[in-house]
Amino acid sequence: MLTKPKIVIVGGVAGGASAAARARRLSEDATIILLERGPDISFANCGLPYHIGGAIKDRKRLLVQTPGAMQRRFRIDVRTHTEVLAIQREPKSLRLLNLLSNEETDETYDILILSPGAEPIRPLLPGSDLPGIFTLRSLEDMDRIIADISSRRAKRALIAGGGFIGLEMAEAFRARDLAVTLVEMAPQVMSPLDPEMVAPVHQELKHQGITLKLGLSVNGFKQTPGGLEVQLSSGETVETDLALLAIGVKPEVKLAKDAGLVLGERGGIQVNEHLQTSDPSIYAVGDAVETRDFTGGFQTLLPLAGPANRQGRLAAEHALGRAQNAYRGSQGTAICKIFDLTAASTGLNEKALKRMQKPYQKIHIHPANHAGYYPGASHMSIKLLYAPDNGLILGAQITGTEGVDKRIDVLATAMRGGMTAFDLEHLELAYAPPYGSAKDPVNYAGFVASNALRGDVTFCHAEDIIAAQENQCVLDVRTASEVAAGSIPGSIHIPLDSLRERLKELPVGKELLVYCQVGLRSYLAARILQHHGWKVRVLSGGLTTFKAATEMF
């Protein structure tokens, strides 16, 4: 390792700024230069929608670190408005352009850390360059959207894309009293969640006045006297004042590609466990790099701030001789606020597991966020995916109002530690009536999955109920008043509390597919029926999950 290395970092925000600060903490002798194309080196891009919507009032709160403050505290040579035109690997130098003076200069390096980020995908659609069509990635993008709404007194907004930015901006636009139409090419928003888990998100969006256009794409734009006419793939047109393209991001790899660095199968920069590129003197971090999926082992692109921060830190450590610490893969833990609802996920979803043809089992539960007798309890929906042989946790998804963040973080930590569903039974989690239950929802998920792994219960799911055969019978064990409010068509009804006395009413020789509202009473019914010789499967998550899976609202 060089005793006084010259470290040049291209790009700030999460990855680059973290690398610069960590490098200085590890070495007072290193020369550290941070190059940033824009005016800001570190800002909270995850907070942009919340300033547009007014939740974050002061724009300055989004500035995590200013160039002047970083120079003073860390003695880092920060150069904003500086674009890197080319990397010359031999000799180790960069061609720079000062965007204010248009002057070109050269800068040498011993170690180069690339943090170019990702750029919004902006498809070449007819009219996509018209005024009033935006993307959101920078403070300048945010300022332009706010200015456009204010100057034209906009009343309508269309969002193309139902990912995190699209959903957060739907709330932001509604907070500014805009009528919002959200167009998503997939049949659901928020792709990390499986369809039945995203159903409450669809309900919440509709409840908040969002017009959903699912399974459709934007084909083009036309200028009208009143704003924009958006043409959809169905042939329908939507009138709007402004449009936001939030259909995803792509890694900025031009600089790396032009320098001959190897790109990965997903189009990002290929790096090893120490974040080194194919050139050992050049590291890459953040949204532009491909990393290994922690659970699935495949290469993935993950534009999230948490991984970018950790990668920047680790790249600086390795560059300065700390080779023992390596990046352990990306897990994809994420959470999103959608008006009064929270949706979160970690690990692999069922769609990914099917694509991989990886064996799995799943359970659904609907516990309260805290003790039911304490005021304000609300239910959440939890989906746990686990390996059928040993119960290893493969992924989890949660939707609800309160307590979702706590539970997804516990499950993400359990996954990172290689824990199983059996281990969830034994977690000792904080309990007091305002915060949880003696059997926390995470424990509860462990109990249910472990019961299945031990053979105490066999589950079925919505697709099994829909495809029920002649040799199967669907049994509803809820109360008469619940059945009166709606049930699965074709099911027979015997309440749990009278089941033992009415066993003779059940068809002989048929497998029973049993359900209740959320799954607890049907499990109790299954235990009774199994002791009497019946072959039984329980509908996981009960009628609540069945409704979500079939959109039977």
Short mmCIF file of all heavy atoms in Angstrom, two decimals, residues 365-371 380 382 398 402-411 424-448:
data_model
loop_
_atom_site.label_atom_id
_atom_site.label_comp_id
_atom_site.label_asym_id
_atom_site.label_seq_id
_atom_site.Cartn_x
_atom_site.Cartn_y
_atom_site.Cartn_z
N ILE A 365 -49.81 -14.26 7.54
CA ILE A 365 -50.47 -14.01 8.82
C ILE A 365 -50.92 -12.55 8.86
O ILE A 365 -50.41 -11.71 8.10
CB ILE A 365 -49.55 -14.32 10.01
CG1 ILE A 365 -48.28 -13.46 9.96
CG2 ILE A 365 -49.22 -15.81 10.06
CD1 ILE A 365 -47.40 -13.58 11.20
N HIS A 366 -51.85 -12.26 9.77
CA HIS A 366 -52.40 -10.90 9.87
C HIS A 366 -52.49 -10.47 11.34
O HIS A 366 -53.57 -10.24 11.87
CB HIS A 366 -53.77 -10.83 9.21
CG HIS A 366 -53.77 -11.27 7.78
ND1 HIS A 366 -53.39 -10.44 6.75
CD2 HIS A 366 -54.05 -12.47 7.21
CE1 HIS A 366 -53.46 -11.10 5.61
NE2 HIS A 366 -53.85 -12.33 5.86
N PRO A 367 -51.34 -10.35 12.02
CA PRO A 367 -51.36 -10.00 13.44
C PRO A 367 -51.54 -8.50 13.67
O PRO A 367 -51.35 -7.68 12.75
CB PRO A 367 -49.97 -10.44 13.90
CG PRO A 367 -49.11 -10.24 12.68
CD PRO A 367 -49.98 -10.57 11.51
N ALA A 368 -51.88 -8.14 14.91
CA ALA A 368 -51.96 -6.73 15.30
C ALA A 368 -50.56 -6.20 15.58
O ALA A 368 -49.66 -6.95 15.97
CB ALA A 368 -52.84 -6.57 16.54
N ASN A 369 -50.38 -4.91 15.38
CA ASN A 369 -49.06 -4.30 15.58
C ASN A 369 -48.67 -4.23 17.05
O ASN A 369 -47.50 -4.22 17.40
CB ASN A 369 -49.00 -2.91 14.95
CG ASN A 369 -49.91 -1.92 15.64
OD1 ASN A 369 -51.11 -2.19 15.83
ND2 ASN A 369 -49.39 -0.77 16.00
N HIS A 370 -49.67 -4.17 17.94
CA HIS A 370 -49.39 -4.25 19.37
C HIS A 370 -50.58 -4.90 20.06
O HIS A 370 -51.54 -5.31 19.40
CB HIS A 370 -49.04 -2.88 19.98
CG HIS A 370 -50.10 -1.83 19.86
ND1 HIS A 370 -51.34 -1.93 20.46
CD2 HIS A 370 -50.10 -0.63 19.23
CE1 HIS A 370 -52.04 -0.85 20.22
NE2 HIS A 370 -51.31 -0.05 19.45
N ALA A 371 -50.52 -5.02 21.38
CA ALA A 371 -51.56 -5.72 22.13
C ALA A 371 -52.95 -5.20 21.77
O ALA A 371 -53.18 -3.98 21.77
CB ALA A 371 -51.31 -5.58 23.63
N MET A 380 -51.52 -5.88 10.51
CA MET A 380 -50.59 -5.87 9.39
C MET A 380 -50.66 -7.22 8.69
O MET A 380 -51.15 -8.20 9.27
CB MET A 380 -49.16 -5.58 9.86
CG MET A 380 -48.59 -6.62 10.79
SD MET A 380 -46.89 -6.23 11.31
CE MET A 380 -47.18 -4.85 12.39
N ILE A 382 -48.33 -10.10 6.89
CA ILE A 382 -46.94 -10.56 6.76
C ILE A 382 -46.91 -11.80 5.89
O ILE A 382 -47.69 -12.74 6.09
CB ILE A 382 -46.32 -10.88 8.14
CG1 ILE A 382 -46.31 -9.63 9.04
CG2 ILE A 382 -44.90 -11.42 7.97
CD1 ILE A 382 -45.74 -9.87 10.42
N ILE A 398 -44.24 -7.15 4.13
CA ILE A 398 -45.20 -6.69 5.14
C ILE A 398 -45.91 -5.44 4.63
O ILE A 398 -45.28 -4.54 4.08
CB ILE A 398 -44.53 -6.36 6.49
CG1 ILE A 398 -43.59 -7.49 6.94
CG2 ILE A 398 -45.57 -6.09 7.56
CD1 ILE A 398 -42.87 -7.20 8.25
N GLU A 402 -48.85 0.66 11.30
CA GLU A 402 -47.85 0.89 12.34
C GLU A 402 -47.05 -0.39 12.58
O GLU A 402 -47.59 -1.49 12.51
CB GLU A 402 -48.54 1.31 13.65
CG GLU A 402 -49.35 2.59 13.55
CD GLU A 402 -48.49 3.83 13.41
OE1 GLU A 402 -47.30 3.77 13.79
OE2 GLU A 402 -48.99 4.85 12.91
N GLY A 403 -45.77 -0.23 12.89
CA GLY A 403 -44.95 -1.35 13.28
C GLY A 403 -44.35 -2.17 12.16
O GLY A 403 -43.66 -3.15 12.42
N VAL A 404 -44.60 -1.77 10.92
CA VAL A 404 -44.07 -2.52 9.78
C VAL A 404 -42.54 -2.42 9.73
O VAL A 404 -41.85 -3.42 9.49
CB VAL A 404 -44.68 -2.00 8.46
CG1 VAL A 404 -43.98 -2.61 7.25
CG2 VAL A 404 -46.16 -2.31 8.42
N ASP A 405 -42.02 -1.23 9.98
CA ASP A 405 -40.57 -1.02 9.89
C ASP A 405 -39.82 -1.88 10.90
O ASP A 405 -38.78 -2.47 10.59
CB ASP A 405 -40.22 0.46 10.07
CG ASP A 405 -40.80 1.06 11.35
OD1 ASP A 405 -41.73 0.46 11.93
OD2 ASP A 405 -40.31 2.13 11.77
N LYS A 406 -40.35 -1.97 12.12
CA LYS A 406 -39.69 -2.78 13.15
C LYS A 406 -39.62 -4.23 12.73
O LYS A 406 -38.56 -4.87 12.83
CB LYS A 406 -40.45 -2.64 14.47
CG LYS A 406 -40.00 -3.60 15.56
CD LYS A 406 -40.86 -3.45 16.80
CE LYS A 406 -40.51 -4.50 17.86
NZ LYS A 406 -41.30 -4.35 19.09
N ARG A 407 -40.73 -4.77 12.23
CA ARG A 407 -40.76 -6.21 11.92
C ARG A 407 -39.91 -6.55 10.69
O ARG A 407 -39.24 -7.58 10.66
CB ARG A 407 -42.20 -6.67 11.73
CG ARG A 407 -42.91 -7.05 13.03
CD ARG A 407 -43.06 -5.85 13.96
NE ARG A 407 -43.59 -6.19 15.26
CZ ARG A 407 -44.40 -5.38 15.94
NH1 ARG A 407 -44.78 -4.22 15.42
NH2 ARG A 407 -44.81 -5.72 17.15
N ILE A 408 -39.93 -5.69 9.67
CA ILE A 408 -39.14 -6.02 8.49
C ILE A 408 -37.65 -5.96 8.82
O ILE A 408 -36.85 -6.75 8.30
CB ILE A 408 -39.48 -5.10 7.29
CG1 ILE A 408 -39.06 -5.76 5.97
CG2 ILE A 408 -38.83 -3.74 7.42
CD1 ILE A 408 -39.86 -6.97 5.61
N ASP A 409 -37.27 -5.05 9.71
CA ASP A 409 -35.87 -4.97 10.10
C ASP A 409 -35.43 -6.18 10.90
O ASP A 409 -34.30 -6.67 10.75
CB ASP A 409 -35.61 -3.69 10.90
CG ASP A 409 -35.52 -2.46 10.01
OD1 ASP A 409 -35.37 -2.62 8.79
OD2 ASP A 409 -35.60 -1.33 10.53
N VAL A 410 -36.31 -6.69 11.77
CA VAL A 410 -35.98 -7.91 12.52
C VAL A 410 -35.81 -9.08 11.55
O VAL A 410 -34.85 -9.86 11.64
CB VAL A 410 -37.07 -8.23 13.56
CG1 VAL A 410 -36.82 -9.60 14.18
CG2 VAL A 410 -37.10 -7.17 14.65
N LEU A 411 -36.72 -9.20 10.59
CA LEU A 411 -36.65 -10.30 9.64
C LEU A 411 -35.43 -10.16 8.72
O LEU A 411 -34.79 -11.16 8.37
CB LEU A 411 -37.94 -10.37 8.83
CG LEU A 411 -39.17 -10.84 9.63
CD1 LEU A 411 -40.45 -10.60 8.84
CD2 LEU A 411 -39.05 -12.32 9.99
N LEU A 424 -37.04 -18.00 14.58
CA LEU A 424 -37.96 -16.89 14.85
C LEU A 424 -38.83 -17.18 16.07
O LEU A 424 -39.24 -16.26 16.78
CB LEU A 424 -38.86 -16.62 13.63
CG LEU A 424 -38.16 -16.21 12.33
CD1 LEU A 424 -39.20 -15.91 11.26
CD2 LEU A 424 -37.25 -15.01 12.55
N GLU A 425 -39.13 -18.45 16.31
CA GLU A 425 -39.93 -18.81 17.48
C GLU A 425 -39.25 -18.37 18.77
O GLU A 425 -39.91 -18.07 19.76
CB GLU A 425 -40.12 -20.33 17.55
CG GLU A 425 -40.95 -20.93 16.43
CD GLU A 425 -41.12 -22.43 16.64
OE1 GLU A 425 -40.12 -23.18 16.52
OE2 GLU A 425 -42.25 -22.85 16.93
N HIS A 426 -37.92 -18.36 18.77
CA HIS A 426 -37.16 -18.16 19.99
C HIS A 426 -36.63 -16.74 20.17
O HIS A 426 -35.96 -16.46 21.17
CB HIS A 426 -36.00 -19.15 20.03
CG HIS A 426 -36.44 -20.58 20.03
ND1 HIS A 426 -36.96 -21.21 21.14
CD2 HIS A 426 -36.48 -21.51 19.03
CE1 HIS A 426 -37.28 -22.46 20.84
NE2 HIS A 426 -37.00 -22.66 19.56
N LEU A 427 -36.90 -15.84 19.23
CA LEU A 427 -36.42 -14.47 19.37
C LEU A 427 -37.09 -13.81 20.57
O LEU A 427 -38.31 -13.89 20.74
CB LEU A 427 -36.71 -13.66 18.12
CG LEU A 427 -35.91 -14.01 16.86
CD1 LEU A 427 -36.31 -13.09 15.72
CD2 LEU A 427 -34.41 -13.92 17.12
N GLU A 428 -36.30 -13.15 21.39
CA GLU A 428 -36.83 -12.43 22.55
C GLU A 428 -36.87 -10.95 22.20
O GLU A 428 -35.85 -10.26 22.21
CB GLU A 428 -35.96 -12.69 23.78
CG GLU A 428 -36.56 -12.15 25.06
CD GLU A 428 -35.80 -12.61 26.30
OE1 GLU A 428 -35.29 -13.76 26.29
OE2 GLU A 428 -35.70 -11.82 27.24
N LEU A 429 -38.05 -10.48 21.87
CA LEU A 429 -38.23 -9.12 21.38
C LEU A 429 -38.94 -8.26 22.43
O LEU A 429 -39.69 -8.76 23.26
CB LEU A 429 -39.03 -9.14 20.08
CG LEU A 429 -38.42 -10.01 18.97
CD1 LEU A 429 -39.36 -10.11 17.78
CD2 LEU A 429 -37.07 -9.46 18.54
N ALA A 430 -38.67 -6.95 22.36
CA ALA A 430 -39.22 -6.03 23.35
C ALA A 430 -40.75 -6.05 23.33
O ALA A 430 -41.36 -6.03 22.25
CB ALA A 430 -38.71 -4.62 23.08
N TYR A 431 -41.33 -6.11 24.53
CA TYR A 431 -42.78 -6.15 24.62
C TYR A 431 -43.29 -5.23 25.73
O TYR A 431 -42.84 -5.28 26.86
CB TYR A 431 -43.29 -7.57 24.89
CG TYR A 431 -44.69 -7.61 25.44
CD1 TYR A 431 -45.76 -7.06 24.71
CD2 TYR A 431 -44.97 -8.14 26.69
CE1 TYR A 431 -47.05 -7.07 25.22
CE2 TYR A 431 -46.26 -8.16 27.20
CZ TYR A 431 -47.29 -7.62 26.47
OH TYR A 431 -48.56 -7.60 26.97
N ALA A 432 -44.22 -4.39 25.36
CA ALA A 432 -45.10 -3.66 26.26
C ALA A 432 -46.35 -3.38 25.44
O ALA A 432 -46.27 -3.25 24.21
CB ALA A 432 -44.45 -2.37 26.76
N PRO A 433 -47.52 -3.33 26.06
CA PRO A 433 -48.77 -3.20 25.29
C PRO A 433 -48.79 -2.12 24.22
O PRO A 433 -49.35 -2.34 23.14
CB PRO A 433 -49.81 -2.95 26.39
CG PRO A 433 -49.26 -3.66 27.58
CD PRO A 433 -47.76 -3.48 27.50
N PRO A 434 -48.15 -0.92 24.42
CA PRO A 434 -48.20 0.08 23.34
C PRO A 434 -47.34 -0.27 22.13
O PRO A 434 -47.47 0.35 21.08
CB PRO A 434 -47.67 1.35 24.02
CG PRO A 434 -47.74 1.10 25.48
CD PRO A 434 -47.54 -0.37 25.64
N TYR A 435 -46.41 -1.26 22.28
CA TYR A 435 -45.43 -1.50 21.24
C TYR A 435 -45.54 -2.86 20.57
O TYR A 435 -45.07 -3.04 19.44
CB TYR A 435 -44.02 -1.36 21.81
CG TYR A 435 -43.76 -0.02 22.43
CD1 TYR A 435 -43.70 0.12 23.82
CD2 TYR A 435 -43.59 1.12 21.65
CE1 TYR A 435 -43.46 1.36 24.39
CE2 TYR A 435 -43.36 2.36 22.22
CZ TYR A 435 -43.30 2.47 23.60
OH TYR A 435 -43.06 3.70 24.16
N GLY A 436 -46.07 -3.84 21.24
CA GLY A 436 -46.10 -5.17 20.66
C GLY A 436 -46.98 -6.10 21.46
O GLY A 436 -47.82 -5.67 22.24
N SER A 437 -46.78 -7.39 21.26
CA SER A 437 -47.51 -8.42 21.98
C SER A 437 -46.50 -9.40 22.57
O SER A 437 -45.35 -9.46 22.15
CB SER A 437 -48.46 -9.17 21.03
OG SER A 437 -49.38 -8.27 20.43
N ALA A 438 -46.97 -10.16 23.56
CA ALA A 438 -46.09 -11.16 24.17
C ALA A 438 -45.58 -12.14 23.11
O ALA A 438 -44.45 -12.61 23.15
CB ALA A 438 -46.82 -11.89 25.28
N LYS A 439 -46.45 -12.46 22.16
CA LYS A 439 -46.04 -13.19 20.96
C LYS A 439 -45.97 -12.17 19.83
O LYS A 439 -46.98 -11.85 19.20
CB LYS A 439 -47.04 -14.32 20.64
CG LYS A 439 -47.03 -15.46 21.63
CD LYS A 439 -47.87 -16.63 21.17
CE LYS A 439 -49.36 -16.30 21.16
NZ LYS A 439 -50.20 -17.50 20.88
N ASP A 440 -44.79 -11.65 19.62
CA ASP A 440 -44.62 -10.63 18.59
C ASP A 440 -44.99 -11.18 17.22
O ASP A 440 -44.87 -12.40 16.98
CB ASP A 440 -43.16 -10.16 18.58
CG ASP A 440 -42.96 -8.94 17.69
OD1 ASP A 440 -43.16 -7.82 18.18
OD2 ASP A 440 -42.59 -9.12 16.51
N PRO A 441 -45.44 -10.33 16.29
CA PRO A 441 -45.73 -10.81 14.94
C PRO A 441 -44.58 -11.61 14.30
O PRO A 441 -44.83 -12.53 13.53
CB PRO A 441 -46.00 -9.51 14.18
CG PRO A 441 -46.61 -8.61 15.19
CD PRO A 441 -45.89 -8.93 16.47
N VAL A 442 -43.33 -11.26 14.63
CA VAL A 442 -42.21 -12.04 14.09
C VAL A 442 -42.19 -13.43 14.70
O VAL A 442 -41.98 -14.43 14.00
CB VAL A 442 -40.88 -11.31 14.35
CG1 VAL A 442 -39.70 -12.19 13.94
CG2 VAL A 442 -40.84 -9.99 13.58
N ASN A 443 -42.42 -13.53 16.04
CA ASN A 443 -42.54 -14.85 16.67
C ASN A 443 -43.68 -15.63 16.05
O ASN A 443 -43.55 -16.83 15.76
CB ASN A 443 -42.81 -14.71 18.17
CG ASN A 443 -41.70 -14.02 18.93
OD1 ASN A 443 -41.96 -13.11 19.70
ND2 ASN A 443 -40.48 -14.46 18.75
N TYR A 444 -44.80 -14.95 15.86
CA TYR A 444 -45.99 -15.58 15.31
C TYR A 444 -45.71 -16.17 13.93
O TYR A 444 -46.10 -17.31 13.62
CB TYR A 444 -47.11 -14.53 15.26
CG TYR A 444 -48.47 -15.01 14.85
CD1 TYR A 444 -48.83 -16.35 14.85
CD2 TYR A 444 -49.44 -14.09 14.44
CE1 TYR A 444 -50.09 -16.76 14.46
CE2 TYR A 444 -50.70 -14.49 14.04
CZ TYR A 444 -51.01 -15.84 14.05
OH TYR A 444 -52.26 -16.25 13.66
N ALA A 445 -44.99 -15.42 13.09
CA ALA A 445 -44.61 -15.95 11.77
C ALA A 445 -43.77 -17.21 11.93
O ALA A 445 -43.93 -18.18 11.18
CB ALA A 445 -43.86 -14.88 10.98
N GLY A 446 -42.87 -17.19 12.91
CA GLY A 446 -42.05 -18.37 13.17
C GLY A 446 -42.87 -19.55 13.63
O GLY A 446 -42.64 -20.70 13.19
N PHE A 447 -43.86 -19.32 14.51
CA PHE A 447 -44.72 -20.41 14.98
C PHE A 447 -45.46 -21.07 13.83
O PHE A 447 -45.51 -22.30 13.71
CB PHE A 447 -45.74 -19.88 16.00
CG PHE A 447 -45.15 -19.35 17.27
CD1 PHE A 447 -45.75 -18.28 17.93
CD2 PHE A 447 -44.02 -19.91 17.82
CE1 PHE A 447 -45.22 -17.78 19.11
CE2 PHE A 447 -43.47 -19.41 19.00
CZ PHE A 447 -44.07 -18.35 19.65
N VAL A 448 -46.05 -20.24 12.98
CA VAL A 448 -46.87 -20.76 11.89
C VAL A 448 -46.01 -21.54 10.88
O VAL A 448 -46.36 -22.65 10.48
CB VAL A 448 -47.63 -19.61 11.20
CG1 VAL A 448 -48.39 -20.12 9.98
CG2 VAL A 448 -48.61 -18.95 12.18
#
